[in-house]
Amino acid sequence: MRRQHEPTSPARIVIAGGGFAGVTAAHQLRHAARTGHVEVALVSRENAFVFYPLMPEVIAGGLRVETILTSIRHVLPHARLYVGELTGVDLERQTVTIQHGLYQHHQRPLELPYDQLVLALGGVPATYGIPGLDDYAFDVQRLSNAFALRNHLIDLLEQADIEPDLAEQRRLLTVVVIGGGPTGVEVAAEIRSLFTHALPYYRAIQPDTARIVLVEALPRLLTGFPDTVAHRAARELRQRGIEVLLGCKVIQVEPAAVVLDDGTRLESRTIVSAIGVEPNPIVRSFGLPLDQRGRIVVDEYLRVTGHPNVWAIGDNAAVIDPATGRPYAPTAQHAVRQAKLLARNLVASLRGETLQPMRYRTRGMMVTLGDHDAIAWLGRVTLTGFLAWWLWRTYALLQMPRWDRRIRLAMEWTLDLLFPPELVQLKVGQPAPATRRLVEAALRRLREGPWPEAAPTVSTTASSVRRS
């Protein structure tokens, strides 16, 4: 396509979010950044990119935490990284405000100007109003909670091994996973795999003592998969000894129990929430158009409605699939595709070229079932067993950023096949499983200000976001 014009000076692009959507968008802008057409700044709460699809394997001990982490500075050497929390957006002045500091201590406000703003903030763990879920359940949408869950499971095994009361031993090793989506299915399967391979090393625990219960409010697992795939997954899980309760709604979570709508009470020392995510609540304060679920409304080119220099992708955006008329599912596959199109359209808009609409057909979905088993739905073809498991691992390996991480991942998978499970417990300041409550408290604190006295706003003069 013929180029209309080139920008006379580098455009300042600020990308908020260090997940799949934000990092991919920044990476796709590398050529424009290296040629001097744009200056890219990325705002992220962490300085590492987390490959969340492999989180269940970290929980089960098949992978070390470091294996699924990649330094953002290694992936995006062309971008300026700001490690901090996004606290505000001023659409009129075209600035964003972040708080940065050492582990949320001595935080200082920082104001970044932008010409183009990309909101890829992702989501926070959903609760759907279930009382006690925030306080007593581990969510698996945060790395710290997943790591804490891993240590907690090892601790359960240690305590059960020296517990003389068999009834209490069984209560210790009862795990309830709430949510029958891909994450819930994989977490339940990996926890079962961990217990299965670890119990031979705990001689005082009988093999049938451990109990894994998967609870889903809908009448089937894996919404988004075909019915045949969902039924097969439920059958495979049950054959592995996992109790699958369908059509059972959780109405309350207690410190050591889950209460269902039919009155059933599941006693458990370990409750895991895998019911999905909702848009980051901070977007509600930006003054942008939102849908009923709190997602930013965008057009088919991924621009925010009414704001041509503001873009939104990923879990915090309502990107409509023209084939279904509904927003795309909040998965890494769709976030990556949206990010690639956004980078292309953003550069095209700066050059005055025609934008391309979001048109993407889901290539397929895969879910692992533990112990070298998986289900892969590839449109018209469905694969199961070892072949599907191998396909899933190959796909994950290729999606991992940087070859050094891919090699480390392949090596760890190989070692996991050859050696006993890792049963080392690392007690390093595990957080309570109350992520949502902590997030909301942090947002309130940021709105009120980090210090009692008024603090001056610092305007950056860094080259990557400097005004011309």
Side-chain angles (χ1 to χ4, degrees), residues 263-333:
T264 301
R265 183 184 177 87
L266 302 172
E267 293 190 4
S268 172
R269 300 294 187 270
T270 309
I271 303 166
V272 182
S273 173
I275 60 176
V277 299
E278 61 184 19
N280 194 314
I282 190 66
V283 303
R284 301 170 190 165
S285 66
F286 296 163
L288 298 172
L290 305 176
D291 69 359
Q292 293 182 344
R293 293 191 58 186
R295 294 169 295 197
I296 302 172
V297 178
V298 299
D299 61 20
E300 59 182 343
Y301 307 112
L302 308 178
R303 293 178 304 191
V304 177
T305 302
H307 301 273
N309 69 331
V310 182
W311 312 70
I313 53 176
D315 297 350
N316 69 183
V319 182
I320 303 300
D321 181 354
T324 64
R326 299 189 300 270
Y328 286 100
T331 65
Q333 175 186 169

Side-chain angles (χ1 to χ4, degrees), residues 275-444:
I275 60 176
V277 299
E278 61 184 19
N280 194 314
I282 190 66
V283 303
R284 301 170 190 165
S285 66
F286 296 163
L288 298 172
L290 305 176
D291 69 359
Q292 293 182 344
R293 293 191 58 186
R295 294 169 295 197
I296 302 172
V297 178
V298 299
D299 61 20
E300 59 182 343
Y301 307 112
L302 308 178
R303 293 178 304 191
V304 177
T305 302
H307 301 273
N309 69 331
V310 182
W311 312 70
I313 53 176
D315 297 350
N316 69 183
V319 182
I320 303 300
D321 181 354
T324 64
R326 299 189 300 270
Y328 286 100
T331 65
Q333 175 186 169
H334 297 111
V336 168
R337 179 57 184 166
Q338 292 168 22
K340 291 181 178 179
L341 177 64
L342 178 141
R344 185 183 302 114
N345 280 348
L346 199 157
V347 173
S349 70
L350 296 175
R351 296 174 175 174
E353 297 175 350
T354 303
L355 307 187
Q356 297 183 17
M358 181 67 186
R359 299 286 187 269
Y360 180 68
R361 177 178 296 179
T362 303
R363 296 179 179 178
M365 302 178 72
M366 294 180 280
V367 60
T368 60
L369 302 177
D371 294 327
H372 310 157
D373 192 8
I375 295 179
W377 172 57
L378 307 176
R380 298 181 179 179
V381 179
T382 300
L383 302 177
T384 59
F386 180 85
L387 180 59
W389 174 81
W390 178 85
L391 181 63
W392 155 239
R393 285 206 161 180
T394 301
Y395 177 78
L397 189 67
L398 295 177
Q399 294 303 309
M400 180 71 72
R402 293 179 56 87
W403 275 102
D404 60 332
R405 285 299 171 193
R406 296 175 188 174
I407 294 173
R408 291 174 185 268
L409 177 59
M411 292 177 62
E412 283 213 39
W413 275 338
T414 302
L415 294 175
D416 184 56
L417 293 172
L418 301 175
F419 295 104
E422 181 60 72
L423 301 176
V424 174
Q425 182 185 17
L426 299 177
K427 298 181 179 180
V428 286
Q430 301 179 34
T435 300
R436 180 186 173 90
R437 178 163 49 82
L438 294 176
V439 168
E440 292 178 348
L443 290 175
R444 287 196 300 272

Side-chain angles (χ1 to χ4, degrees), residues 15 21-31 33 40-42 76 78-79 339 343:
I15 300 175
V23 170
T24 302
H27 186 259
Q28 291 296 309
L29 291 169
R30 64 191 184 280
H31 177 71
V40 180
L42 180 76
L76 307 175
H78 60 281

Side-chain angles (χ1 to χ4, degrees), residues 127-137 176-178 215 217 248-268 270-273 275:
T127 63
Y128 294 107
I130 300 175
L133 191 68
D134 276 344
D135 300 308
Y136 308 121
V176 178
V177 180
I178 305 173
V215 182
C248 298
K249 184 178 180 181
V250 175
I251 61 173
Q252 186 169 347
V253 176
E254 299 177 355
V258 172
V259 182
L260 306 182
D261 56 352
D262 62 359
T264 301
R265 183 184 177 87
L266 302 172
E267 293 190 4
S268 172
T270 309
I271 303 166
V272 182
S273 173
I275 60 176

